[in-house]
Amino acid sequence: LRLTLALTVASFHADHLPADAPSADADWRLPWDDVEPSAAGVPTVATDGVPVAEGSEGRAHMVMVLVHNDDVHTFDEVTSALMAISATREWAYELTHLIDRTGESVVAILPRAEALRKAAVLRERGLLVSTTDRAQRAREA
């Protein structure tokens, strides 16, 4: 789990990428992002069970959902909200720690419609949420 988390973060922060990690150009997905494959190149499952997008068609519409730290919500409230978007308790706990330590974390990378749905669920719980794409994230780095 910690390696998956490190690889997810490293896909956007290359200086954190382990030496033996796959390419940073891979489309990183989180364990709860169960998306059915389609002919349009939308995510399929890779050999390690992590869904990835195939071809440029899938990548063009991928959106990142970020949760930002605040001084309002407790650790348990953030963990519970992440579980509401289908994260396991352990994964939600790890992401909450990352949000607390770094100020924000990418919690999902999904096709646009799904990303907006998950972001809405998190906003309904009062969390500070933003969405972006890989190109914008790279410009901000």
Side-chain angles (χ1 to χ4, degrees):
L1 179 60
R2 291 184 190 279
L3 177 59
T4 302
L5 182 59
L7 293 174
T8 301
V9 172
S11 67
F12 307 108
H13 303 285
D15 55 319
H16 296 242
L17 191 64
D20 62 341
S23 167
D25 293 330
D27 281 320
W28 296 98
R29 309 264 306 159
L30 300 179
W32 64 84
D33 298 333
D34 300 323
V35 179
E36 293 296 321
S38 76
V42 177
T44 58
V45 177
T47 55
D48 63 355
V50 178
V52 296
E54 294 179 350
S56 60
E57 303 89 1
R59 290 183 189 181
H61 299 94
M62 300 302 280
V63 173
M64 293 178 228
V65 178
L66 290 91
V67 174
H68 304 272
N69 195 17
D70 63 29
D71 294 331
V72 177
H73 295 88
T74 67
F75 196 91
D76 289 338
E77 288 172 333
V78 175
T79 301
S80 175
L82 292 172
M83 290 171 58
I85 62 167
S86 304
T88 63
R89 177 175 294 282
E90 182 180 40
W91 185 249
Y93 187 80
E94 292 289 335
L95 286 172
T96 303
H97 268 288
L98 185 61
I99 294 164
D100 188 50
R101 282 192 315 265
T102 65
E104 70 179 21
S105 177
V106 174
V107 298
I109 304 173
L110 300 161
R112 181 177 171 75
E114 289 179 65
L116 294 177
R117 279 193 296 273
K118 291 208 183 208
V121 169
L122 295 171
R123 283 188 189 108
E124 286 172 7
R125 296 205 168 218
L127 298 183
L128 181 56
V129 179
S130 64
T131 57
T132 188
D133 61 15
R134 187 176 298 275
Q136 179 61 34
R137 189 78 170 168
R139 285 190 292 271
E140 292 173 355

